[in-house]
């Protein structure tokens, strides 16, 4: 990467070249706002060095023409960014294994690099989830199961879309969640995403104790945390350093990279982020 002007005055934390094995930043594709190819290309042209992955969240890829998806994946790959399906395959599996196999092959042909599996929607035995992970890996794609710590957006929508989010709606057995994540990794999962619900979203107070237990048991390299709000991503970097993997909104990428590199921070953060 080209040296930035102000680096001649200060020494900052080194960031590894892409593809990175840690300190991964994944952003949402078109979801909460409409983003066409030109907008995405502009984002990646300006900040692509700091972005590792682009995710089609919330099943949005199912609403887009194939040509549009190919255009997006080509733009991402040109900027060294992998493309993830987001949660959607869990709906396909309800139609049967042959439909899921075709879905995986179609994802590969469209240029997707990783298939996400939102485990909050699964209501079948764990061994079937592990079988899906192995199926995706055998197809030559990466796979990222998504875990919810509490009854979050996807599960609430599946049960009753009318009820609003409930703070502290109940936390899953964290030991059971960790064991399930461990089995997913053993089956070949490349990364585990822990969604914000129950940790830093829809809670009366942040469950930093759960983050500590997840990292303590699973390590940093193979897990990713959703951090929607600037305060959340700052807390993660402040407490776990630049190597923590985060899923964020594209509008927060520059702030996140400044925090990772040690170039910026609030008074409580300043000087604490080191390799």
């Amino acid at each position: 990467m080209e040296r930035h002007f102000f680096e001649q005055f200060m020494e900052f934390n080194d960031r590894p070249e892409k593809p990175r094995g840690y300190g991964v930043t994944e952003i949402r594709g078109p979801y909460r706002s409409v983003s066409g190819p030109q907008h995405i290309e502009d984002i990646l042209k300006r900040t692509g060095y700091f972005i590792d992955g682009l995710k089609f969240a919330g099943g949005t890829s199912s609403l887009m023409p194939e040509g549009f998806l190919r255009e997006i994946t080509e733009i991402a790959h040109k900027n060294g960014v992998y493309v993830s399906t987001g949660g959607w395959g869990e709906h396909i599996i309800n139609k049967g294994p042959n439909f899921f196999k075709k879905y995986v092959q179609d994802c590969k042909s469209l240029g997707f690099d990783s298939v996400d599996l939102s485990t909050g929607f699964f209501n079948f035995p764990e061994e079937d989830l592990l079988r899906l992970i192995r199926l995706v890996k055998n197809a030559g794609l990466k796979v990222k199961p998504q875990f919810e710590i509490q009854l979050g957006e996807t599960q609430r929508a599946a049960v009753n879309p009318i009820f609003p989010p409930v703070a502290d709606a109940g936390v899953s057995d964290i030991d059971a969640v960790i064991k399930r994540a461990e089995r997913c990794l053993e089956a070949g999962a490349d990364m585990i995403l822990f969604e914000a619900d129950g940790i830093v979203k829809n809670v009366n107070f942040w469950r930093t104790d759960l983050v500590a237990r997840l990292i303590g048991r699973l390590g940093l390299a193979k897990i990713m945390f959703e951090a929607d709000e600037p305060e959340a991503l700052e807390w993660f970097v402040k407490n776990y350093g630049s190597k923590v993997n985060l899923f964020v909104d594209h509008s927060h990428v520059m702030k996140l990279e400044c925090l990772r590199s040690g170039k910026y921070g609030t008074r409580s953060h300043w000087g604490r982020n080191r390799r």
Side-chain angles (χ1 to χ4, degrees):
M1 180 183 179
E2 184 180 355
R3 179 182 170 90
H4 290 169
F5 173 72
F6 288 108
E7 289 183 0
Q8 63 183 301
F9 301 109
M10 292 183 66
E11 181 178 344
F12 300 114
N13 294 339
D14 291 332
R15 291 282 281 137
E17 297 291 329
K18 295 195 295 185
R20 285 183 268 264
Y22 55 83
V24 171
T25 297
E26 186 173 284
I27 66 169
R28 285 185 184 85
Y31 180 52
R32 293 175 177 170
S33 61
V34 178
S35 299
Q38 290 182 335
H39 183 215
I40 293 175
E41 185 169 26
D42 187 52
I43 291 172
L44 297 184
K45 182 178 180 180
R46 303 302 178 189
T47 63
Y49 177 77
F50 310 125
I51 297 171
D52 300 273
L54 173 71
K55 171 180 174 178
F56 282 84
T60 51
S61 60
S62 66
L63 303 175
M64 301 174 186
E66 290 186 4
F68 180 89
L69 292 175
R70 284 197 176 90
E71 188 174 1
I72 297 297
T73 57
E74 288 174 2
I75 291 171
H77 293 158
K78 185 173 68 175
N79 289 275
V81 173
Y82 69 79
V83 186
S84 179
T85 62
W88 182 248
E90 56 275 5
H91 296 288
I92 306 298
I93 192 60
N94 291 326
K95 295 179 177 293
N98 289 333
F99 280 90
F100 187 80
K101 289 179 182 178
K102 185 179 185 306
Y103 164 75
V104 172
Q105 291 301 323
D106 287 348
C107 289
K108 187 174 183 178
S109 68
L110 288 170
F112 285 97
D113 305 286
S114 178
V115 173
D116 286 5
L117 298 173
S118 189
T119 61
F121 276 116
F122 287 134
N123 57 0
F124 45 76
E126 181 180 282
E127 184 54 41
D128 290 337
L129 170 61
L130 304 182
R131 190 175 296 113
L132 295 180
I133 291 173
R134 290 189 284 264
L135 187 154
V136 175
K137 294 295 293 184
N138 289 336
L141 296 176
K142 294 184 177 181
V143 58
K144 175 159 46 55
Q146 301 177 176
F147 282 69
E148 287 183 338
I149 300 300
Q150 77 172 30
L151 187 65
E153 289 184 7
T154 54
Q155 293 176 345
R156 280 194 302 271
V159 176
N160 193 328
I162 298 176
F163 292 155
V166 178
D168 290 339
V171 175
S172 304
D173 181 343
I174 192 64
D175 288 321
V177 170
I178 291 173
K179 289 178 181 177
R180 195 179 196 195
E182 287 174 335
R183 287 191 284 268
C184 287
L185 292 172
E186 290 170 359
D190 297 275
M191 185 79 73
I192 303 290
L193 171 66
F194 290 101
E195 300 187 10
D197 284 283
I199 300 179
V200 294
K201 181 179 177 182
N202 295 328
V203 289
N204 291 324
F205 59 92
W206 287 0
R207 295 303 307 270
T208 58
D209 57 321
L210 299 183
V211 176
R213 291 178 68 181
L214 291 168
I215 293 176
R217 289 275 296 275
L218 301 170
L220 281 175
K222 292 291 186 179
I223 63 175
M224 176 181 289
F225 293 96
E226 180 183 18
D228 273 348
E229 301 301 328
E231 296 80 8
L233 64 87
E234 181 170 344
W235 180 86
F236 276 108
V237 176
K238 173 182 172 180
N239 287 276
Y240 293 101
S242 62
K243 293 184 178 181
V244 65
N245 304 313
L246 296 175
F247 172 48
V248 302
D249 188 81
H250 74 270
S251 61
H252 300 151
V253 167
M254 294 303 285
K255 175 173 183 176
L256 173 57
E257 193 60 30
C258 283
L259 293 169
R260 288 193 193 278
S261 64
K263 297 177 181 178
Y264 169 82
T266 61
R267 176 179 292 184
S268 64
H269 177 92
W270 192 257
R272 287 187 56 171
N273 180 25
R274 292 292 181 266
R275 299 183 183 87

